[in-house]
Amino acid sequence: MYLNSLKTDYFHTAIPELPMGKYAHIVVVRETNSFPLFQTDGELNTAYVKAGLLPAHQAPRARITMFKRKQTSAERLHGRELLRRYGIISATPKDEKSNTTSPYFCEYNSAAFCKRCPDCIYYGFAIGSAGSERAKVLVDSAFSLTPFDVSHQSLTFNAPWENGTMSRGGETRSSIGEQDHVLPQVFFPSVITIKDPTEAEFIYVLNNVLRTRRYGAQTTRTGTVENHLVAAVFANGEIFSNLKFSQKLYDLTGYEDEGGQERAQIGTPLEAGKVLDAASEAVRSLLQEDGLVYTVVDGAILRDEMNGLTRDEEQFRSILGQAGEEANLYATTFGAFRPKTAKAK
């Protein structure tokens, strides 16, 4: 075992072919640290949902939505960087005959998925008639804790000439406009679920979450987000949804209406420490309603242990190597490269 705070029976020794009822949930609260853009067609993604779970919080509120792919795409790409750095996959195409040994050439979101690396096996792929693999990492859209009206701001953007002004030779440049941005210190409670993980798989996915710092559009200029690890939950089924998590946390952070004015007793912007304390309380309260057999591992303890692993390069390289071997074994036993006789069955 690499993680001493966890038990061996939380994990499989190899990736199973069929679902076996072991679920590992990574519970995080994503906090914006700049002005990210979670948008489609030029507008921030929003949804009208009930404010909270309490009877006093049943009125609908508009919330900013962080769609699932805006989470997983960023995290997958950071994981793939590491796989290339440590020789699990290659950035250089090979001919079909020479691509039978590691590192395998693998290109994201194309027909050149290698179909056998940790990214392909854990997060899944679909290449039309060339094959597909169902994701073992389950992610859903996340909803802002605070309502839309206190979570965004319209900012003006421009594209000046090289002299730093918008005019040259008596002409004013027309490249100026406005764009809604998510404000800093807006929180998106989120649950990432891994079905039937091995320990190396769990570490790989958790590390991707913890090391990813930018989400949404225009990430070369903005989009900084900090992922606070609240807890890891090991259970025999799926736990509560992101929306329910946000609504429960809304109830616990002191929101109330006064004379038609919505306000937070702990202040806006919300104080991160108080939000995280409330998130831990929300997790334990919601789990009691789920009717599952579960174990909760404190996020602070797990993060400290993860930091120790990832700072030791040789040990981290070993974990990634083990993840690569497990993924390849699954691909050649049950996946795209299983024996043809097995396919006929």
Side-chain angles (χ1 to χ4, degrees), residues 11-33:
F11 305 110
H12 293 285
T13 55
I15 303 171
E17 178 184 16
L18 300 175
M20 302 292 288
K22 286 188 178 183
Y23 290 77
H25 305 87
I26 301 167
V27 183
V28 297
V29 173
R30 307 182 191 274
E31 178 189 4
T32 59
N33 284 342

Side-chain angles (χ1 to χ4, degrees), residues 171-183:
E171 294 183 5
T172 301
R173 200 163 189 169
S174 60
S175 52
I176 186 169
E178 287 188 339
Q179 174 71 61
D180 277 345
H181 290 70
V182 183
L183 287 170

Side-chain angles (χ1 to χ4, degrees), residues 1-16 22 24 26 118 122 194-208 234 302 305-306 309 315-316 318-324 326-327:
M1 289 286 292
Y2 293 103
L3 295 169
N4 296 323
S5 58
L6 307 182
K7 297 179 180 179
T8 56
D9 59 1
Y10 294 162
F11 305 110
H12 293 285
T13 55
I15 303 171
K22 286 188 178 183
I26 301 167
Y122 300 161
I194 314 171
K195 294 185 68 174
D196 296 304
T198 63
E199 188 189 19
E201 179 180 355
F202 176 79
I203 292 172
Y204 178 80
V205 175
L206 177 56
N207 182 65
N208 290 350
F234 298 89
L302 183 55
E305 198 168 5
M306 277 291 296
L309 282 180
Q315 190 172 35
F316 188 51
S318 172
I319 294 169
L320 290 180
Q322 182 176 326
E326 291 172 356

Side-chain angles (χ1 to χ4, degrees), residues 246-275:
S246 290
Q247 290 169 328
K248 182 66 176 179
L249 196 49
Y250 182 97
D251 293 339
L252 294 173
T253 50
Y255 269 92
E256 60 181 37
D257 290 327
E258 281 195 353
Q261 295 295 317
E262 187 173 52
R263 70 184 185 92
Q265 292 181 29
I266 66 171
T268 304
L270 304 181
E271 185 180 330
K274 292 183 178 179
V275 170

